[in-house]
Amino acid sequence: MCRSIKTLRPPVLEHDATEEDIRAAALQYVRKISGFRAPAAHNQEVFDRAVDAVAEATGELLQDLVVRGAGGAKAKGAA
């Protein structure tokens, strides 16, 4: 159905996650949860809203995470 969702934070990811990385993970999550690779036309709007919501929440999570002991880990609020 879909590829695995990857960890989107250092040190697992060598760089900060891009909007594209976050959106791809959100899409994979919604696909997995809904059971649809591509929604029917009558479900497209709700599917897209779900992807947007998951992407937004993921971006906020990654921005606010504090990773300790990861050599060069960012502090809360750092970009």
Side-chain angles (χ1 to χ4, degrees):
M1 171 187 276
C2 61
R3 64 179 168 77
S4 296
I5 298 172
K6 298 183 282 185
T7 301
L8 296 180
R9 65 165 181 79
V12 177
L13 193 64
E14 293 181 6
H15 55 81
D16 286 340
T18 64
E19 285 186 34
E20 185 177 307
D21 294 330
I22 292 169
R23 182 119 184 124
L27 178 60
Q28 294 305 320
Y29 176 80
V30 172
R31 284 177 173 171
K32 181 62 94 174
I33 297 303
S34 69
F36 296 111
R37 186 183 185 298
H42 63 276
N43 284 324
Q44 187 69 53
E45 184 179 340
V46 70
F47 191 91
D48 291 344
R49 281 197 320 261
V51 173
D52 292 343
V54 171
E56 183 176 342
T58 300
E60 290 174 8
L61 171 67
L62 292 173
Q63 182 178 1
D64 292 345
L65 276 178
V66 176
V67 181
R68 295 184 179 186
K74 62 183 179 180
K76 184 173 182 174

